[in-house]
Amino acid sequence: MLFDSLRRLLIFLMLCLAQVLVLNRIQLFHCATPLLYVYFAVIFPRSYPRWAILLWCFFLGLFVDTFSNTPGVASASMTLAGFLQPFLVELFLPRDAEENIKVSVSALGFGKFAALSSILVTVYCVVFFALESFSFFNWLYWLECAVGSTLLTLALIFTFESIRK
């Protein structure tokens, strides 16, 4: 338990630092920003307590908000992602799967992992940019930001997942 918490804290810090120091400065076509820290919400194992997932996701969003000048946007979006993750994992796992199965390409297969990640990242990006703009006056720009960031984030998640054991 202690080893898992320390490992999760290390991933938390690495994703937070990568987002704040590097990825926030990347904007493709002035709208697509990689939001890699959503990967943290995707990889929680099946047996992890739901309250702990919500707390981890909220605090990661809060840290990103603090250093990215997006007051409450990332924390609200990450909390929603943390809330949805256990339900989505149950949709993509067989009923007879192990209780402590970890969410990864090797455990789920690429198709199911890609579908799970795509749904979670899409919901996250749509909510994130809707809260950030707080207006649908320029809905085309909002859509470009949400779709572009979703695709860029998914590309990074699949890259990291191919490196991960």
Side-chain angles (χ1 to χ4, degrees):
M1 180 68 180
L2 179 64
F3 178 72
D4 182 54
S5 296
L6 289 175
R7 186 177 147 271
R8 194 157 307 280
L9 183 63
L10 181 65
I11 293 170
F12 177 98
L13 291 173
M14 287 180 6
L15 287 173
C16 187
L17 287 173
Q19 185 66 41
V20 170
L21 297 175
V22 179
L23 298 175
N24 279 350
R25 298 185 187 338
I26 298 172
Q27 276 199 336
L28 294 178
F29 310 113
H30 298 288
C31 62
T33 303
L35 303 169
L36 183 62
Y37 58 95
V38 181
Y39 181 61
F40 188 74
V42 173
I43 61 172
F44 278 102
R46 179 182 189 184
S47 62
Y48 212 79
R50 292 180 182 180
W51 62 268
I53 295 172
L54 286 173
L55 282 177
W56 277 108
C57 289
F58 172 75
F59 282 114
L60 179 58
L62 188 65
F63 274 72
V64 171
D65 277 337
T66 302
F67 297 110
S68 299
N69 198 20
T70 55
V73 175
S75 57
S77 303
M78 275 299 286
T79 304
L80 178 65
F83 176 75
L84 293 176
Q85 193 266 0
F87 299 109
L88 291 174
V89 167
E90 289 299 323
L91 285 176
F92 290 103
L93 285 176
R95 289 185 186 197
D96 58 346
E98 296 177 23
E99 188 63 32
N100 60 353
I101 192 167
K102 295 185 183 211
V103 176
S104 66
V105 170
S106 60
L108 295 177
F110 183 77
K112 289 182 179 182
F113 181 80
L116 170 69
S117 300
S118 298
I119 292 170
L120 204 56
V121 170
T122 301
V123 167
Y124 177 83
C125 287
V126 165
V127 170
F128 182 87
F129 288 107
L131 290 174
E132 187 180 51
S133 67
F134 208 66
S135 166
F136 292 109
F137 180 71
N138 194 357
W139 65 272
L140 192 58
Y141 179 70
W142 170 78
L143 189 63
E144 288 172 354
C145 288
V147 170
S149 294
T150 299
L151 294 175
L152 199 55
T153 302
L154 284 173
L156 284 174
I157 286 175
F158 295 147
T159 302
F160 270 87
E161 194 59 31
S162 69
I163 294 170
R164 191 176 131 183
K165 314 184 207 183

